[in-house]
Amino acid sequence: MYQSKAYSAASATSPLASTVIPRRDPTDRDVQIDILFCGICHSDLHTVRNEWSSVMQTAYPCVPGHEIVGRVTRVGAAVTKHKTGDLVGVGCLVDSDRTCPCCRVNLEQLCPNGTFTYNSPDKHGAAPVTYGGYSDSIVVDEHFVLRIPPNLDLAGTAPLLCAGITTYSPLKRAGVGPGKKVGIVGLGGLGHMGVKLADAFGAHVVAITTSTSKRADALRLGADEVVISRNADELRQHAGTFDFILDCVAAEHDINAYLNLLKHDGNLTLVGAPDKPLSLSAFSLIFGRRSLSGSLIGGIAETQEMLDFCGAHQITSDVEIIPIQQVNEAYARLVKSDVKYRFCIDMASLKPA
Ligand code: NAP
Ligand code: ZN
């Protein structure tokens, strides 16, 4: 066991504060990583504030962070995928049972015995629960450690490990590409990656936002059109025209307004995870035979595929880099949708000056 510097929350109402946490020494299959950057996902905030308590309780202290890039400093004797000095990434998953029907088809994220990067029981027992990437170091089984394309900016790559794969996976599964009209709802960390990726897949992309201030950015990010969702007239003009909509909204909202934008047999996939239930009108689905689905991050092989795709297409996240000492201000701004488009913590700020 060794000690790692970190930021943790002591309760749902406490600010994040500096602390020291235990990390296990690498076992034979483990990789030890010096963390360079960690993105701030809205899921970190939902978890720290115990907003998802009806589904999963947060254990405190909570060290969030699952958009990790860093450099390998140590590897176990049986590790073959990575070596000391490699640039690597870790997303939302650090373990799964490798034997269930989901794991056997590379869907580790759906494994009933999976271990999330933070707030999951720690099978290794270094601490009661896993601790995430708001930290200077982490130890992860090599299977869950990703290769980072060498040509990408590192801070902009960190958010690919969650926001990137969470949008890539459903867009790909929906067959988004040329000739398809695709809506991306909510231009935050996930949504802005959804716009970039759907554009790279060749679709006609419409960014659907509540923020008039994001109109110009949406076009720059790759949208062909922008709809301001607070303006009912703008929404109405697109009624019944979309093949696919990806809903990336973090707060309560009216999904019926977006379902009604779908063509017949169109699909809306939820990746946003508001804490309160959404209300659904049956008519939004049955008129038009539309469907509503959900999607959870992506498996490890697909996450590597996404990183390689981003390397080939020079796609990274637009980040606002902050020192970890500003994490509480960043959370306050995230709640107000005031980030363009992902906060990313420079972990050098954890080291003594
Ligand atoms: P974020 O950066 O805060 O972005 C959310 C965006 O939603 C905001 O920027 C805003 O975009 C829009 N929005 C906020 N409040 C709204 C409201 N009341 N009505 C309509 N739109 C609203 O959050 P994120 O990190 O992208 O995460 C988004 C959600 O996905 C979170 O709930 C997160 O927990 C979840 N998530 C799910 C997965 C998964 O695997 N399914 C993975 C990661 C995250 P505009 O300003 O453009 O309106
Ligand atoms: Zn996330």
Side-chain angles (χ1 to χ4, degrees), residues 41-44 66-67 92 162-163 190 342:
C41 179
H42 208 116
S43 304
D44 300 350
H66 57 206
E67 294 186 336
C92 305
C162 174
L190 265 57
R342 195 55 134 188

Side-chain angles (χ1 to χ4, degrees), residues 111-129:
C111 172
N113 303 305
T115 304
F116 290 110
T117 305
Y118 59 82
N119 200 43
S120 274
D122 185 350
K123 291 180 193 159
H124 295 268
V129 290

Side-chain angles (χ1 to χ4, degrees), residues 22-99:
R23 296 287 194 194
R24 69 178 182 270
D25 287 315
T27 66
D28 277 1
R29 295 193 326 198
D30 283 337
V31 173
Q32 183 176 332
I33 302 162
D34 240 355
I35 300 177
L36 299 171
F37 292 99
C38 185
I40 297 182
C41 179
H42 208 116
S43 304
D44 300 350
L45 190 154
H46 288 307
T47 306
V48 160
R49 301 198 173 160
N50 204 14
E51 290 175 352
W52 288 337
S53 58
S54 60
V55 185
M56 54 185 127
Q57 286 285 337
T58 303
Y60 296 96
C62 173
V63 179
H66 57 206
E67 294 186 336
I68 298 166
V69 293
R71 198 176 286 283
V72 175
T73 52
R74 223 175 358 153
V75 296
V79 168
T80 56
K81 256 178 84 183
H82 307 285
K83 60 181 190 316
T84 302
D86 286 355
L87 284 172
V88 292
V90 177
C92 305
L93 296 169
V94 290
D95 209 353
S96 67
D97 64 21
R98 331 278 172 100
T99 54

Side-chain angles (χ1 to χ4, degrees), residues 78 148 151 164 183 208 261 281:
I148 300 294
N151 57 320
I208 303 172
L261 301 181
S281 159

Side-chain angles (χ1 to χ4, degrees), residues 240 242-245 258-263 266-268 290:
F242 284 84
D243 295 285
F244 179 72
I245 295 177
Y258 304 125
L259 285 167
N260 289 328
L261 301 181
L262 291 169
K263 278 182 189 167
N267 171 266
L268 184 148
R290 300 169 179 128

